Amino acid sequence: MNRTQFNNIVGLSLILGLFLACGNKPKTESDYDYEAAASVFMADESFHPILDEELDVFTNVFNRHAIAQDTLHAVYTSETEAIEKLMKNETWLAFTTRKFTDKEMENLKARSFIPRIMPIAFDGLAIIVNNSNPDTCISVKDFARILKGEVSEWKELYPNSKLGQIDVVFDNPKSSTVRFCVDSILGGTPILSQESENIGAVLKSSEVVEYVEKTPNALGIIGSNWLNDKRDTTNITFKKNITVMKVSRLDSATVRNSFRPYQAYIYNGNYPLVRTIYALLTEPRTGMPTRFANFCSLPQGQKIIFSAGLLPNTPNMNVRNVNVVK
């Protein structure tokens, strides 16, 4: 894990985001390679599982109807790089957890593009810990204190804990997960101080799960679509090799006021760490990228999202309270 450069990278990526829309001259279609950009879409790496499923079904459906003579490939990277590629006309489609900024919209329109923003799903940001950790409830307030560096030891939150330092791990310094924590949890304040060594990042979401599984004092932050047990068709079982913490909106987290990122709790607002997944489009024609984005937003694509454990943008859900008698 690269801890010494983590905060520098996060800070630099946030600054670079402000300048993505600047300094580009208007371009005509002859100034870019349409076909090359239309052959790939970019996405934040945390959406790897769900978008792979969407792409497999999309490809099979269109091949079956002899429409998809061209192929579409996924490139998984950080959210920052995905949007950079989109603004440079190296792809026409990016999946992110934020909309275009005002400057990006102005830049695209100045170059005669018609930017489109399509919400396709809602994802719970999951906080995961090692199975040996007995403390499984946390408040948003305490989570923010960890990210700010106000808390660095488990016993500062849970007096009986013997786990020592809280070893925080993100998926990627430039990921949507990091940006969400900075923007939505810390109100734009950078994560931690550069002097602290207990927060770092790996490169992939799968590596976060692996690290937490092997590290008793670890705390990982990851998109919930990585956690569902595919053997459970009810979407209420997470992976057995780690523990998903319950999160509370209230200052003091208890079992009764804390919730895990299940679809129902995302739907009714009980789970507090929710982000929207968007398809950002700049394609000047109606090609494969536009067709794929539309597919993800239509009933068949939304059903795949639901089956994967995320909340579709257009959910058709009946939520009932059930009393379990032991």
Side-chain angles (χ1 to χ4, degrees):
M1 294 172 60
N2 186 352
R3 300 191 181 283
T4 58
Q5 297 180 359
F6 174 70
N7 288 284
N8 288 333
I9 293 173
V10 172
L12 181 59
S13 65
L14 293 174
I15 293 171
L16 287 175
L18 298 176
F19 296 96
L20 283 175
C22 302
N24 293 320
K25 296 180 180 179
K27 293 184 179 182
T28 63
E29 189 165 334
S30 61
D31 292 322
Y32 51 74
D33 188 339
Y34 170 81
E35 297 299 337
S39 67
V40 299
F41 69 82
M42 309 289 292
D44 187 274
E45 188 273 337
S46 64
F47 306 139
H48 195 307
I50 181 61
L51 290 179
D52 270 1
E53 291 187 42
E54 292 278 8
L55 186 58
D56 284 345
V57 177
F58 170 79
T59 301
N60 289 334
V61 169
F62 274 70
N63 281 339
R64 189 163 63 245
H65 292 85
I67 295 175
Q69 297 178 356
D70 299 320
T71 56
L72 185 64
H73 302 284
V75 176
Y76 296 107
T77 180
S78 67
E79 182 175 77
T80 299
E81 184 178 357
I83 295 175
E84 286 175 352
K85 296 291 186 182
L86 192 67
M87 297 302 295
K88 292 178 180 177
N89 304 332
E90 295 179 21
T91 183
W92 305 122
L93 171 62
F95 289 91
T96 70
T97 60
R98 73 165 177 85
K99 301 178 181 180
F100 288 111
T101 65
D102 290 341
K103 287 186 177 181
E104 288 164 351
M105 292 287 282
E106 291 172 4
N107 174 273
L108 290 166
K109 291 177 180 179
R111 293 187 286 138
S112 300
F113 289 103
I114 302 175
R116 284 153 287 167
I117 303 169
M118 300 173 58
I120 64 166
F122 300 95
D123 179 36
L125 197 68
I127 302 174
I128 61 176
V129 293
N130 187 272
N131 279 341
S132 66
N133 192 332
D135 299 304
T136 59
C137 294
I138 191 169
S139 67
V140 174
K141 180 181 178 180
D142 283 340
F143 181 48
R145 291 172 64 203
I146 294 172
L147 299 181
K148 292 176 183 178
E150 297 174 359
V151 170
S152 60
E153 300 281 333
W154 282 105
K155 65 182 179 181
E156 296 178 68
L157 297 180
Y158 312 100
N160 295 326
S161 178
K162 299 178 181 180
L163 292 176
Q165 180 176 264
I166 303 173
D167 193 359
V168 182
V169 56
F170 282 92
D171 49 354
N172 187 296
K174 298 182 180 181
S175 72
S176 61
T177 303
V178 172
R179 187 196 58 77
F180 178 89
C181 288
V182 171
D183 291 352
S184 300
I185 298 176
L186 301 182
T189 303
I191 293 176
L192 204 50
S193 63
Q194 295 184 12
E195 291 78 18
S196 182
E197 295 292 328
N198 72 313
I199 292 188
V202 286
L203 294 176
K204 299 179 180 179
S205 299
S206 59
E207 294 176 1
V208 176
V209 177
E210 292 170 3
Y211 186 83
V212 171
E213 181 183 4
K214 298 175 182 178
T215 311
N217 63 321
L219 182 149
I221 301 97
I222 196 172
S224 62
N225 75 108
W226 276 91
L227 301 176
N228 283 81
D229 188 336
K230 300 301 181 183
R231 296 167 297 179
D232 178 16
T233 57
T234 66
N235 292 327
I236 60 171
T237 303
F238 292 126
K239 290 181 182 293
K240 302 295 186 181
N241 54 339
I242 49 86
T243 297
V244 180
M245 297 193 83
K246 294 183 176 181
V247 184
S248 176
R249 295 181 184 275
L250 303 182
D251 290 349
S252 180
T254 67
V255 173
R256 289 185 176 274
N257 66 25
S258 304
F259 302 88
R260 292 191 173 100
Y262 295 129
Q263 288 166 317
Y265 295 146
I266 294 174
Y267 179 74
N268 66 16
N270 281 340
Y271 191 73
L273 305 180
V274 178
R275 55 188 184 169
T276 306
I277 301 175
Y278 297 99
L280 304 184
L281 276 165
T282 58
E283 189 175 22
R285 311 178 194 173
T286 302
M288 291 294 284
T290 298
R291 291 191 182 107
F292 180 57
N294 287 336
F295 175 83
C296 292
S297 68
L298 293 174
Q300 190 168 7
Q302 293 284 284
K303 183 178 180 180
I304 295 169
I305 289 170
F306 179 79
S307 299
L310 301 187
L311 182 66
N313 181 57
T314 54
N316 183 14
M317 297 177 61
N318 292 317
V319 179
R320 298 181 177 90
N321 292 324
V322 177
N323 293 322
V324 179
V325 179
K326 295 184 179 180

